[in-house]
Every structure is written in structure tokens, then in C-alpha cells.
Amino acid sequence: HDLNQDGCDSTTTLTLKVNPVYNQHVTLTICETALPYTWNDITYPVNTEGGNYEHTYSTQTAAGCDSIINLHLTISNQYVTPLTQDICEGESITFANQTLSQSGIYYDTLQASNHCDSIVMLTLTVHELHTTTLEADICLGESYTSYDFNVTPENIGLNSYQRVVQTEFGCDSTIILNLNVNPVYYTEN
């Protein structure tokens, strides 16, 4: 009750508007490739480890009330899967929808279950095919048994033989033997 200037009762009506206090919870998941990432003036640098981070950000609403925002940030790691492959010269493989036949490092980007990039890194080594040529002389009737050859030629002159062996990577290595067979002369005493 209030009295007015004439001493009479007066009624004062107060209209009070109560503005809400905001308390929000924000959940974000980002990939580490999205770093640096800034949220409400908080910057997560490039080298931020994958994991969960929680921050509370306090500010005021337009009406001057407190506002609290809680961030629950998950940084998902990028996965890199290294692969190595050895092939022989003249062979090729298919990787990332490409046909590859040269040594090098190749990449394929896939999406992992965490919706971040998953990188497959292929190191491809192409091994050369080797050809080795051996030259030797023997006499007719003799055998040549070096370098895993075991031959006894029946013809005089140049005789060629070939062996194919596999290297430790399964590639063919060819050994060519050019064997010169000299005649044997007999003299009677």
C-alpha cells in the first residue's frame, strides 16, 4: 500500500519480466585435419591430440543475463595405414583405381568409421629383371658345371644355354651361357 499526495491509498503494479539464464551443452566431433579449430575464442592448434575436451564459456545475453555454454569436443584421429608391395619389372598392380608399374609412394584417401580421412600409403618397389651373360670355352667331350649348369655339348663351335631363376622377390633372372666348344685333335705317335 502506498499513499498518494492527497493521502489516499494507491496501488502500484509492477510488471517483472524474468529473462532466462541459458545453460547449453554443445557436443562437437571434428577430425584432426580440421585443426586449427576455433570455438568461442578458444583455438585448438594443429598438434592437438585426439581426445575429449570440455570448456565452459560464460557470456551475457542481450538482456544482460548470464549464459553458460559447455563444449564437449572430440577430436578424432586420422588413420594412416602403411603398405609395402614388391613387383617385378613388366608387372603392374591396381591401387586407388590406378594401374601402377613404377616404384614410388602412392596414397589413397578413404573415409574411416569416425567420418575422418583414413590414408592408405603404399610404398611400391619395382624390381628389375636381370640378364647375365656368361662366356666360357671347353673342349669337345667335356662338361660345363659352373653356375648350376650341367651341360655336355655335342657340337663344336658356339652353343648357347639359358637358365631362368627367381630372385628373392620372385622376379625372373635369366642366365645365358655362351659356351664355345673347341675340337679335340688326336695325333698318332
Side-chain angles (χ1 to χ4, degrees):
H1 258 12
D2 288 328
L3 296 177
N4 65 13
Q5 63 188 19
D6 298 323
C8 299
D9 283 340
S10 123
T11 303
T12 305
T13 303
L14 172 66
T15 303
L16 179 63
K17 180 178 178 186
V18 177
N19 293 312
V21 173
Y22 293 101
N23 190 358
Q24 292 181 327
H25 294 277
V26 176
T27 300
L28 290 176
T29 299
I30 65 169
C31 300
E32 70 178 322
T33 55
L35 296 172
Y37 181 77
T38 301
W39 178 83
N40 286 333
D41 298 327
I42 299 170
T43 298
Y44 298 89
V46 170
N47 294 327
T48 302
E49 294 288 324
N52 297 318
Y53 298 88
E54 291 195 38
H55 288 282
T56 301
Y57 182 75
S58 297
T59 187
Q60 288 192 340
T61 65
C65 298
D66 288 338
S67 179
I68 298 172
I69 303 172
N70 293 303
L71 171 66
H72 178 75
L73 177 65
T74 301
I75 300 174
S76 296
N77 292 325
Q78 178 182 52
Y79 297 105
V80 177
T81 304
L83 299 175
T84 58
Q85 179 76 44
D86 293 285
I87 62 173
C88 303
E89 184 179 358
E91 295 178 343
S92 64
I93 63 166
T94 301
F95 175 76
N97 296 320
Q98 300 176 55
T99 300
L100 306 176
S101 60
Q102 293 184 354
S103 293
I105 298 175
Y106 301 91
Y107 298 92
D108 190 11
T109 303
L110 308 169
Q111 191 175 75
S113 60
N114 64 2
H115 302 290
C116 296
D117 288 345
S118 175
I119 307 295
V120 179
M121 181 181 74
L122 171 67
T123 302
L124 179 64
T125 304
V126 179
H127 298 279
E128 293 181 34
L129 301 178
H130 294 282
T131 300
T132 303
T133 301
L134 304 173
E135 306 281 340
D137 287 291
I138 63 171
C139 293
L140 184 63
E142 294 178 342
S143 295
Y144 183 89
T145 57
S146 296
Y147 301 99
D148 289 332
F149 282 96
N150 188 6
V151 294
T152 306
E154 296 179 3
N155 297 319
I156 296 173
L158 186 62
N159 292 267
S160 291
Y161 302 91
Q162 176 174 302
R163 289 186 56 242
V164 176
V165 295
Q166 287 196 338
T167 65
E168 63 184 294
F169 300 104
C171 300
D172 289 344
S173 179
T174 304
I175 302 171
I176 298 171
L177 171 61
N178 290 325
L179 191 57
N180 187 36
V181 180
N182 295 308
V184 175
Y185 297 100
Y186 295 98
T187 58
E188 286 187 30
N189 292 353

